[in-house]
Amino acid sequence: RGLEAKVRAHLSAATQAALENPWSTRWHSGDVLSDLSCGIVDELGAEGFADLNYDMTRESFGPIIRPLITVALALTGRSAGTVFARVPSGASSALQNVDITWKETGARTGTLGFVYPTPIRPETEFAWRGALRALSELAGAPATVAKVELRDGHALHFDLAW
């Protein structure tokens, strides 16, 4: 599709360097991911970015977490809530210094919250929309986002229903 070249045109020198050599450091700053996300949104739009994150979650993380989720669903019941309740512990290996919470608010509803240590861009919502769609499908109960709140510029909360 030529997406990489188009996106690179929007990126800072630091983000381009991280893409050239992703293993140059153990951990890249959230600024790199934010810059990359904005570049992708500039090319694909917000919904296209959500779709890309959906595909990435299914293809990259799906094979790793599917066996874990299958066991959890067998033990606690087949529900998207079962999957979302495990996001805080599961995402901790991929996100540093992000406080992730899950609160079940009803039999088929709950709120998943992400509190970042620094301000986040609105595009972050669409990255999570795609990932959450893929995760809920693992439960066989696709969820819908009923409401999204960006609080104080660094906290993102999703009200989910399934």
Side-chain angles (χ1 to χ4, degrees), residues 13-35:
T15 302
Q16 289 191 36
L19 288 175
E20 288 297 322
N21 188 4
W23 308 114
S24 62
T25 182
R26 276 191 57 186
W27 204 260
H28 291 284
S29 154
D31 293 336
V32 169
L33 181 58
S34 182
D35 189 33

Side-chain angles (χ1 to χ4, degrees), residues 8-130:
R8 279 184 184 267
H10 298 275
L11 305 178
S12 70
T15 302
Q16 289 191 36
L19 288 175
E20 288 297 322
N21 188 4
W23 308 114
S24 62
T25 182
R26 276 191 57 186
W27 204 260
H28 291 284
S29 154
D31 293 336
V32 169
L33 181 58
S34 182
D35 189 33
L36 178 60
S37 297
C38 288
I40 294 169
V41 169
D42 287 345
E43 286 301 319
L44 296 180
E47 291 302 324
F49 183 48
D51 291 342
L52 180 68
N53 276 279
Y54 167 80
D55 291 340
M56 183 182 68
T57 301
R58 281 182 48 113
E59 293 170 17
S60 298
F61 298 108
I64 297 166
I65 62 173
R66 187 172 287 110
L68 302 171
I69 295 297
T70 301
V71 170
L73 293 172
L75 295 173
T76 60
R78 195 162 192 78
S79 164
T82 298
V83 175
F84 294 136
R86 282 152 180 78
V87 170
S89 60
S92 63
S93 62
L95 296 171
Q96 288 186 342
N97 302 319
V98 177
D99 182 32
I100 305 171
T101 58
W102 167 253
K103 181 179 179 186
E104 198 164 300
T105 56
R108 298 178 55 85
T109 60
T111 300
L112 192 58
F114 303 88
V115 180
Y116 291 80
T118 58
I120 58 172
R121 295 183 186 202
E123 291 84 359
T124 306
E125 170 190 338
F126 293 93
W128 280 113
R129 279 181 179 268

